[in-house]
Amino acid sequence: MSVDGQGQRFGPTSRVEPDEQDHVDRQPSGGSSAALSIDFVGEWYEVVPGQVFTIGREGDLEIDDNPYLHRRFMEIRQIDGLWWLSNVGTMISATVADSSGGMQAWVSPGSRIPLVFGQLNVVFTAGPTTYEFSAHLKSPSFLQQSNGNDAVGETTIGPVIFTPAQKALIVALAEPILRRGGTGFSTVPSSANAAKRLGWPLTRFNRKLDNVCDKLDRVGVAGLRGGGGKLATNRRARLVEHAVTSHLVTPDDLPLLDQALGDED
């Protein structure tokens, strides 16, 4: 799926009043009668056609009082019958994926993506904290059919093959999100803490992290390299976003953490 990188920005937003929002604790997916609903930490918000729904430190969906998060980070609005998610910030990108992990897009500042699946998960990192919300469309443009032969959590994604130790490293970084389950927020561990969790020296952890990021960068995973081809400073967060939304790692992989303890490969 292509992402519109024209950087189109929309005009002033109209805030949805509280009595227009649908806040239902742990409502099942698709349970709202709204055409489009947003789930964040178990609270549900109805997106009203003809209005702009804003997401950020302030807005219709107030994510968190996090100084690293834009006051207005994302907007959702309907254009010609199609819902669009726009990144109207200047510094933070987001990873957007369908519920199966089969479609994934990186939405950078100034870009937008159409919401055409029944459920899309949006993951982004501001400072040390990673956030996730989901958008549920009542009448999606694309319907997904599960293939019984599809595998989830394999050590391959496209042509990339990871060693058990490399996959354990990814699980160590994604552990807070994998244990959380559902939408919400968590903190990506530092390299030092993740290395300690695996019982590895920091030098070994950093070497394997370089290898993992190099492999994914070579197959086109965005955001793992900064300017001049150097590894990005926020690569741990970007790696976690990609790994979780693509189902490269799942909660079923958590036992790899114990298996990697004392591993010397």
PDB file of all heavy atoms in Angstrom, residues 8 67 84 115 124-125 265:
ATOM      1  N   GLN A   8       0.201  17.009   2.508  1.00  0.00           N
ATOM      2  CA  GLN A   8      -1.004  17.832   2.561  1.00  0.00           C
ATOM      3  C   GLN A   8      -1.445  18.014   3.997  1.00  0.00           C
ATOM      4  O   GLN A   8      -1.563  17.071   4.747  1.00  0.00           O
ATOM      5  CB  GLN A   8      -2.122  17.181   1.757  1.00  0.00           C
ATOM      6  CG  GLN A   8      -3.430  17.964   1.816  1.00  0.00           C
ATOM      7  CD  GLN A   8      -4.487  17.350   0.933  1.00  0.00           C
ATOM      8  OE1 GLN A   8      -4.185  16.536   0.088  1.00  0.00           O
ATOM      9  NE2 GLN A   8      -5.727  17.740   1.124  1.00  0.00           N
ATOM     10  N   PRO A  67       6.204  15.563  26.892  1.00  0.00           N
ATOM     11  CA  PRO A  67       6.772  16.719  26.188  1.00  0.00           C
ATOM     12  C   PRO A  67       7.408  16.358  24.851  1.00  0.00           C
ATOM     13  O   PRO A  67       7.624  17.237  24.007  1.00  0.00           O
ATOM     14  CB  PRO A  67       7.823  17.257  27.170  1.00  0.00           C
ATOM     15  CG  PRO A  67       8.148  16.100  28.054  1.00  0.00           C
ATOM     16  CD  PRO A  67       6.881  15.310  28.173  1.00  0.00           C
ATOM     17  N   TRP A  84      -8.807   9.003   5.930  1.00  0.00           N
ATOM     18  CA  TRP A  84      -7.362   9.181   5.818  1.00  0.00           C
ATOM     19  C   TRP A  84      -6.762   9.485   7.191  1.00  0.00           C
ATOM     20  O   TRP A  84      -7.329  10.260   7.966  1.00  0.00           O
ATOM     21  CB  TRP A  84      -7.019  10.335   4.877  1.00  0.00           C
ATOM     22  CG  TRP A  84      -7.294  10.045   3.438  1.00  0.00           C
ATOM     23  CD1 TRP A  84      -8.490  10.162   2.774  1.00  0.00           C
ATOM     24  CD2 TRP A  84      -6.347   9.580   2.471  1.00  0.00           C
ATOM     25  NE1 TRP A  84      -8.335   9.793   1.461  1.00  0.00           N
ATOM     26  CE2 TRP A  84      -7.034   9.437   1.238  1.00  0.00           C
ATOM     27  CE3 TRP A  84      -4.982   9.278   2.527  1.00  0.00           C
ATOM     28  CZ2 TRP A  84      -6.397   9.004   0.084  1.00  0.00           C
ATOM     29  CZ3 TRP A  84      -4.352   8.856   1.360  1.00  0.00           C
ATOM     30  CH2 TRP A  84      -5.052   8.710   0.159  1.00  0.00           C
ATOM     31  N   LEU A 115      -7.326   4.590   5.367  1.00  0.00           N
ATOM     32  CA  LEU A 115      -7.747   3.541   6.293  1.00  0.00           C
ATOM     33  C   LEU A 115      -8.761   2.668   5.566  1.00  0.00           C
ATOM     34  O   LEU A 115      -9.924   3.054   5.417  1.00  0.00           O
ATOM     35  CB  LEU A 115      -8.352   4.157   7.558  1.00  0.00           C
ATOM     36  CG  LEU A 115      -7.454   5.151   8.298  1.00  0.00           C
ATOM     37  CD1 LEU A 115      -8.175   5.724   9.522  1.00  0.00           C
ATOM     38  CD2 LEU A 115      -6.139   4.497   8.708  1.00  0.00           C
ATOM     39  N   PHE A 124       3.761   4.263  17.593  1.00  0.00           N
ATOM     40  CA  PHE A 124       4.745   5.336  17.440  1.00  0.00           C
ATOM     41  C   PHE A 124       5.448   5.554  18.767  1.00  0.00           C
ATOM     42  O   PHE A 124       4.958   5.161  19.830  1.00  0.00           O
ATOM     43  CB  PHE A 124       4.072   6.628  16.965  1.00  0.00           C
ATOM     44  CG  PHE A 124       2.974   7.123  17.858  1.00  0.00           C
ATOM     45  CD1 PHE A 124       3.223   8.036  18.871  1.00  0.00           C
ATOM     46  CD2 PHE A 124       1.677   6.664  17.700  1.00  0.00           C
ATOM     47  CE1 PHE A 124       2.207   8.487  19.700  1.00  0.00           C
ATOM     48  CE2 PHE A 124       0.649   7.104  18.521  1.00  0.00           C
ATOM     49  CZ  PHE A 124       0.921   8.020  19.519  1.00  0.00           C
ATOM     50  N   THR A 125       6.610   6.187  18.697  1.00  0.00           N
ATOM     51  CA  THR A 125       7.437   6.404  19.884  1.00  0.00           C
ATOM     52  C   THR A 125       7.729   7.886  20.040  1.00  0.00           C
ATOM     53  O   THR A 125       8.129   8.556  19.076  1.00  0.00           O
ATOM     54  CB  THR A 125       8.754   5.617  19.779  1.00  0.00           C
ATOM     55  OG1 THR A 125       8.455   4.227  19.632  1.00  0.00           O
ATOM     56  CG2 THR A 125       9.609   5.811  21.026  1.00  0.00           C
ATOM     57  N   ASP A 265      26.700 -17.926  21.448  1.00  0.00           N
ATOM     58  CA  ASP A 265      26.968 -17.907  19.995  1.00  0.00           C
ATOM     59  C   ASP A 265      27.252 -16.504  19.503  1.00  0.00           C
ATOM     60  O   ASP A 265      26.949 -15.545  20.141  1.00  0.00           O
ATOM     61  CB  ASP A 265      25.764 -18.498  19.246  1.00  0.00           C
ATOM     62  CG  ASP A 265      24.590 -17.535  19.154  1.00  0.00           C
ATOM     63  OD1 ASP A 265      24.400 -16.777  20.125  1.00  0.00           O
ATOM     64  OD2 ASP A 265      23.889 -17.567  18.143  1.00  0.00           O
TER      65      ASP A 265
END
